[in-house]
């Protein structure tokens, strides 16, 4: 059974930083592209960042480009999202997801497994 468990969320002031982690189990992690999505209250889930199986390719939403960095450690079956210069509009539940694909994907429908999410709240 596949499990994706996010951690690292919390409350931070605007301009601050957080690092999210997502630990995967029950799948051959290095065979999956990984992604981060977020969903703010009352809004649809949106793409944040994605990374290829090797970490050699990454995609970012325009809203986070230059502030967020996605990375992965295949030896630890873990994907990370380093979030810097956080803004109140980054407040959302952040989800990691795994896609049975070698290359990054931006559409939620392309992902096969999802975590339960971790709350990130940025105060102004």
């Amino acid at each position: 059974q596949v499990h994706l468990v996010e951690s690292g969320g919390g409350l931070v002031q605007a301009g601050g930083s957080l690092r999210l982690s997502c630990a995967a189990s029950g799948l051959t992690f290095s065979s999956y592209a990984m992604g981060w999505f977020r969903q703010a209250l009352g809004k649809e889930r949106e793409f944040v960042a994605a990374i290829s199986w090797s970490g050699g390719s990454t995609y970012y939403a325009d809203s986070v480009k230059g502030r967020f960095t996605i990375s992965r450690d295949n030896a630890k079956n873990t994907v990370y999202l380093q979030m810097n210069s956080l803004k109140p509009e980054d407040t959302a539940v952040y989800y990691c997801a795994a896609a049975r694909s070698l290359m990054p994907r931006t559409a939620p429908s392309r992902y096969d497994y999802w975590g339960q999410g971790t709350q990130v709240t940025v105060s102004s």
Side-chain angles (χ1 to χ4, degrees):
Q1 190 172 2
V2 175
H3 291 284
L4 301 177
V5 180
E6 301 96 336
S7 61
L11 173 64
V12 64
Q13 288 189 331
S17 298
L18 283 174
R19 188 175 84 150
L20 305 183
S21 299
C22 172
S25 61
L27 75 170
T28 305
F29 185 71
S30 59
S31 296
Y32 285 75
M34 299 297 294
W36 286 96
F37 292 78
R38 66 187 182 187
Q39 188 166 16
L41 197 62
K43 296 187 177 181
E44 292 187 355
R45 190 168 300 191
E46 65 173 359
F47 169 75
V48 175
I51 189 166
S52 64
W53 70 278
S54 67
S57 294
T58 55
Y59 295 164
Y60 295 94
D62 288 342
S63 58
V64 307
K65 206 170 292 184
R67 300 187 298 123
F68 290 11
T69 302
I70 188 171
S71 62
R72 67 189 295 161
D73 185 339
N74 286 349
K76 295 183 178 180
N77 286 5
T78 302
V79 62
Y80 306 96
L81 185 68
Q82 177 66 43
M83 306 186 294
N84 298 329
S85 302
L86 282 161
K87 305 175 181 180
E89 51 263 44
D90 295 317
T91 295
V93 177
Y94 282 71
Y95 300 89
C96 75
R100 199 175 291 112
S101 166
L102 297 182
M103 295 305 294
R105 302 296 182 186
T106 60
S109 60
R110 300 302 299 269
Y111 285 79
D112 301 284
Y113 303 105
W114 292 83
Q116 293 300 306
T118 185
Q119 176 71 46
V120 171
T121 303
V122 184
S123 64
S124 57

